[in-house]
Amino acid sequence: MNRPTGTDDGSTRDGPRLPRRGQGQLESQVLTVLRSAGGPATAGWVQEHLDGDLAYTTVITILSRLYAKKAVTRTRQGRSYVWTPASDEAGLAALRMRRVLDGERDREAVLARFVSALSPGDEARLRALLSRAADEPDDGPAGPESR
């Protein structure tokens, strides 16, 4: 397998080295493109609409990772899948926050640190949201972790 060999100036024999993407940046780009589809989209469609030259297999890998994280849904169409975002950007951020919280033993300590680090404006927003949620009728049984 021929791999580009680096040079002293950071480029490769095959041209300049492309900058590495930050963690989650590619997933974010894929989600942005998928949202722009206005409905279910194939991996090929996503690949065509992404900036850059990503391999089809890379797009499939990213979509599969997003599926495992419940950030997208998929439906079989023929021999492949069509993909749909599971939520809007705010919903996906909330899902990430919940995943982090679920991975911690001391939920109360994590929440206390989170709240103490909020700006006064964000703290007021959170209090208003909690108050509004407390005033809404219960939509059914909820476990202790949901509050």
Side-chain angles (χ1 to χ4, degrees):
M1 173 181 213
N2 293 336
R3 294 179 186 236
T5 304
T7 63
D8 290 340
D9 67 356
S11 64
T12 65
R13 282 191 220 160
D14 296 334
R17 182 173 290 168
L18 297 174
R20 292 188 59 88
R21 291 178 179 89
Q23 185 177 14
Q25 186 178 5
L26 188 53
E27 288 180 358
S28 177
Q29 290 173 348
V30 167
L31 281 169
T32 299
V33 167
L34 198 54
R35 270 191 219 99
S36 75
T42 64
W45 186 92
V46 172
Q47 179 193 21
E48 288 173 18
H49 290 83
L50 280 169
D51 293 334
D53 295 326
L54 286 179
Y56 179 81
T57 54
T58 302
V59 174
I60 289 291
T61 298
I62 297 302
L63 287 167
S64 296
R65 287 180 184 164
L66 289 168
Y67 178 75
K69 294 177 181 181
K70 296 183 169 74
V72 298
T73 60
R74 66 184 185 190
T75 306
R76 182 154 309 266
Q77 188 175 64
R79 291 178 22 195
S80 61
Y81 291 102
V82 290
W83 307 82
T84 308
S87 184
D88 60 9
E89 288 184 46
L92 291 172
L95 178 65
R96 287 191 300 269
M97 292 167 64
R98 178 64 189 257
R99 210 175 296 125
V100 168
L101 184 59
D102 286 346
E104 297 296 326
R105 285 186 190 171
D106 191 348
R107 296 170 73 91
E108 186 172 339
V110 172
L111 288 169
R113 293 279 174 99
F114 175 75
V115 170
S116 68
L118 291 174
S119 70
D122 284 342
E123 183 179 342
R125 284 183 198 92
L126 182 58
R127 287 183 188 281
L129 289 167
L130 290 169
S131 177
R132 199 175 328 149
D135 292 341
E136 292 177 0
D138 192 7
D139 290 337
E145 287 97 25
S146 66
R147 297 212 182 234

